[in-house]
Amino acid sequence: MNSTLKILNLRIFAIAVLVAVWAVQLHGQDAKTQMPIDLNTVMKLAGANNLRVAEMDARRELAIAEAKTAKEWFLPTISPGVLLVGYEGNAQATDGTFIEVNKNSFWGGAAITADWNLGDAVFSYLEAKQDIKTAEYATAAESNRVQLEAVKTYYELGAAQGKLTALNKIVKKAADITRQIEFQVEAGIRYKSDVLLAKANLNHIKIEQSNARWEILSTSNELLNILNIKDDVVLIVSDSVLVPIALVDTSIASYEKAYALRPETMMFQSKMDALAIGRKSSTTGLLLPDLNLGFNDGLFGPYFNPLVNEYSYYIGAKWNIPLGVLFFGGSRKQYDARIKMEQIHLDQAKNTIKREVLDAEGGVAIATEQMKLATEALGYATTALEQSMERQKLGTSLPLEVFQAQEQLLQSEIDNIRAITNYNQAQYSLYIAMGNKQ
């Protein structure tokens, strides 16, 4: 146990040191400023900075505003003002005769009126209020997707940096071997073709170095885009990304549990609840009357004469019963069809969740086996190269054997990096798939 911890601590220390080395290596290839970034920062920026999450936040704010708009029905309308009325000419009296008139009137005051369609207003507000919850679940679901994408890209960036470090070590070894072969050629022990082959091999590894640098820059740009970082920088992973993490116990992982925790299922269920509320406007809402209320108070009288106060009011209740709704039920059927569609969406979401959980579980299991094999292979390849290089110094091994040992060591280190990266990505995928909150 102590030896395992000691090895782990040494690996973490080595990776921390390599962060500085990566910055130096990249600096020679690119004039951009390097910006160290860790996993916590990635998750925070993915949730706060990403434009897709920002759009979902804006949709949630829109839902809140629509709910406030739906609540405005409760407040009456106030209408202050003045009214001047003048009439000159013929008018018909109550007995049918026409008379010449010249009259005018003035009114100044305020009126308060309210027209309440309770059936629509109440259920529209309740539906809009439920839509806020739907928007919140949608925001949470999008935030999870973006954070998972950001974390996977972060680990890809760490893997690219690890690959570059492995290549740097191989380049150094290849350069040493090339110099040894040059000395042996000068001493007449090796053929000139051997040193030419060694130089060609060295250049091939340097090309792979360039590819690794490009991979780092490309992955950094992808992460910058996800995190919506405007600075023209190259991101440098500062965490120990090549150390396996354990976020979820796969023995207790279950997609059945995930159904109740994932915001996607909550979102579609919330949509169905909102539609069920809206549907009541064409059923229960018909039992509620339209209410009309008005008050009018102000000064009334002829122009330029003493005015007297006039006050009036009205209160009414009326039931509007649309026969078309009762006999054909088109509105109810529309709501039923939309609810059925959302149920289908919910079932589709559950299928997706099940696949994501099972995929992540399988990814963790496979990556665990890969890490074991890669660790063993790395040990074998390291020993093989060391022995080949010793034989090379003695002139008892062919250059091709050393090159093959180098290539195998490089591939073993890359396999090890990829296995750890796959494991960490699968762990985080399972963590999100199970509905865990950030």
Side-chain angles (χ1 to χ4, degrees):
M1 181 68 177
N2 291 333
S3 61
T4 303
L5 290 174
K6 190 175 295 184
I7 293 172
L8 183 59
N9 290 333
L10 287 173
R11 179 178 289 184
I12 294 173
F13 174 75
I15 293 171
V17 171
L18 287 175
V19 171
V21 176
W22 286 329
V24 173
Q25 293 163 350
L26 285 173
H27 184 71
Q29 296 295 322
D30 191 82
K32 293 182 180 180
T33 302
Q34 284 81 46
M35 187 177 97
I37 192 166
D38 57 26
L39 186 58
N40 286 334
T41 303
V42 167
M43 290 191 291
K44 288 178 182 178
L45 291 179
N49 260 24
N50 183 267
L51 295 179
R52 282 153 47 194
V53 177
E55 180 183 356
M56 299 308 296
D57 279 334
R59 291 180 182 274
R60 180 178 60 83
E61 292 175 4
L62 176 61
I64 293 173
E66 289 175 343
K68 290 182 178 180
T69 301
K71 191 168 59 174
E72 292 173 359
W73 68 272
F74 182 75
L75 297 177
T77 300
I78 301 176
S79 305
V82 296
L83 179 65
L84 301 175
V85 178
Y87 187 85
E88 184 175 354
N90 289 333
Q92 190 173 21
T94 56
D95 60 357
T97 61
F98 289 89
I99 57 175
E100 181 74 17
V101 296
N102 185 351
K103 59 182 181 179
N104 61 71
S105 66
F106 168 86
W107 177 87
I112 299 177
T113 58
D115 296 302
W116 297 321
N117 184 337
L118 295 180
D120 286 337
V122 171
F123 295 112
S124 293
Y125 168 66
L126 294 177
E127 182 179 6
K129 191 176 179 181
Q130 185 65 38
D131 286 339
I132 296 176
K133 293 184 179 180
T134 302
E136 290 174 349
Y137 294 136
T139 300
E142 187 62 34
S143 179
N144 283 346
R145 283 190 290 269
V146 169
Q147 288 195 347
L148 180 57
E149 182 182 350
V151 169
K152 285 187 173 182
T153 305
Y154 175 79
Y155 279 118
E156 288 297 330
L157 179 58
Q161 293 176 183
K163 182 179 179 181
L164 178 59
T165 300
L167 282 164
N168 290 337
K169 291 189 298 183
I170 294 297
V171 163
K172 184 177 179 181
K173 292 180 183 296
D176 291 340
I177 293 170
T178 301
R179 284 192 296 270
Q180 290 175 14
I181 295 176
E182 286 177 337
F183 294 149
Q184 292 171 346
V185 170
E186 292 174 0
I189 302 174
R190 294 290 186 190
Y191 296 106
K192 188 175 181 180
S193 60
D194 291 336
V195 74
L196 295 177
L197 184 60
K199 289 181 178 180
N201 180 66
L202 178 59
N203 283 356
H204 170 71
I205 298 174
K206 287 181 178 180
I207 291 174
E208 291 300 315
Q209 265 187 318
S210 298
N211 290 336
R213 291 191 182 98
W214 170 249
E215 186 177 353
I216 290 173
L217 293 176
S218 177
T219 310
S220 170
N221 290 335
E222 183 179 354
L223 188 56
L224 286 171
N225 179 59
I226 295 173
L227 302 182
N228 192 31
I229 297 177
K230 304 298 184 182
D231 300 330
D232 190 14
V233 296
V234 177
L235 297 176
I236 299 297
V237 170
S238 60
D239 276 346
S240 302
V241 294
L242 299 182
V243 176
I245 60 173
L247 296 174
V248 182
D249 184 356
T250 54
S251 65
I252 61 174
S254 167
Y255 53 82
E256 294 289 346
K257 295 179 181 178
Y259 292 158
L261 298 175
R262 286 285 291 270
E264 290 89 342
T265 57
M266 298 178 189
M267 177 183 68
F268 290 119
Q269 184 61 57
S270 180
K271 284 184 178 181
M272 287 191 289
D273 293 342
L275 291 171
I277 293 172
R279 185 182 185 278
K280 292 181 179 180
S281 61
S282 58
T283 56
T284 307
L286 298 179
L287 302 178
L288 301 176
D290 291 354
L291 297 180
N292 307 105
L293 178 66
F295 299 94
N296 191 317
D297 191 19
L299 298 173
F300 182 69
Y303 294 172
F304 312 117
N305 281 340
L307 303 175
V308 296
N309 188 73
E310 181 189 57
Y311 173 75
S312 63
Y313 66 89
Y314 66 87
I315 300 175
K318 180 176 63 175
W319 280 262
N320 292 317
I321 304 175
L323 296 180
V325 173
L326 294 178
F327 285 102
F328 298 107
S331 296
R332 293 194 306 275
K333 292 177 180 179
Q334 288 184 42
Y335 273 110
D336 290 340
R338 291 168 64 188
I339 291 173
K340 184 177 180 180
M341 290 171 60
E342 295 305 330
Q343 180 63 57
I344 293 172
H345 293 158
L346 176 59
D347 293 338
Q348 290 174 337
K350 287 183 176 181
N351 288 340
T352 300
I353 290 170
K354 179 180 179 180
R355 177 179 56 81
E356 289 175 352
V357 172
L358 294 177
D359 284 351
E361 283 182 324
V364 171
I366 292 173
T368 300
E369 182 64 22
Q370 287 177 343
M371 286 192 299
K372 180 181 178 181
L373 295 173
T375 301
E376 291 179 354
L378 184 58
Y380 299 150
T382 301
T383 302
L385 179 58
E386 290 173 353
Q387 292 180 0
S388 296
M389 290 180 67
E390 289 298 323
R391 291 170 55 207
Q392 168 64 32
K393 293 178 183 178
L394 300 173
T396 59
S397 68
L398 296 175
L400 183 59
E401 295 178 28
V402 181
F403 301 153
Q404 289 175 339
Q406 281 182 338
E407 183 178 351
Q408 188 58 54
L409 176 60
L410 175 61
Q411 188 59 54
S412 296
E413 291 192 349
I414 292 175
D415 287 344
N416 187 54
I417 292 170
R418 175 47 54 193
I420 295 175
T421 300
N422 289 346
Y423 178 82
N424 289 343
Q425 289 177 331
Q427 275 281 342
Y428 202 85
S429 296
L430 183 58
Y431 181 81
I432 294 297
M434 285 299 300
N436 292 293
K437 296 181 180 180
Q438 306 305 312

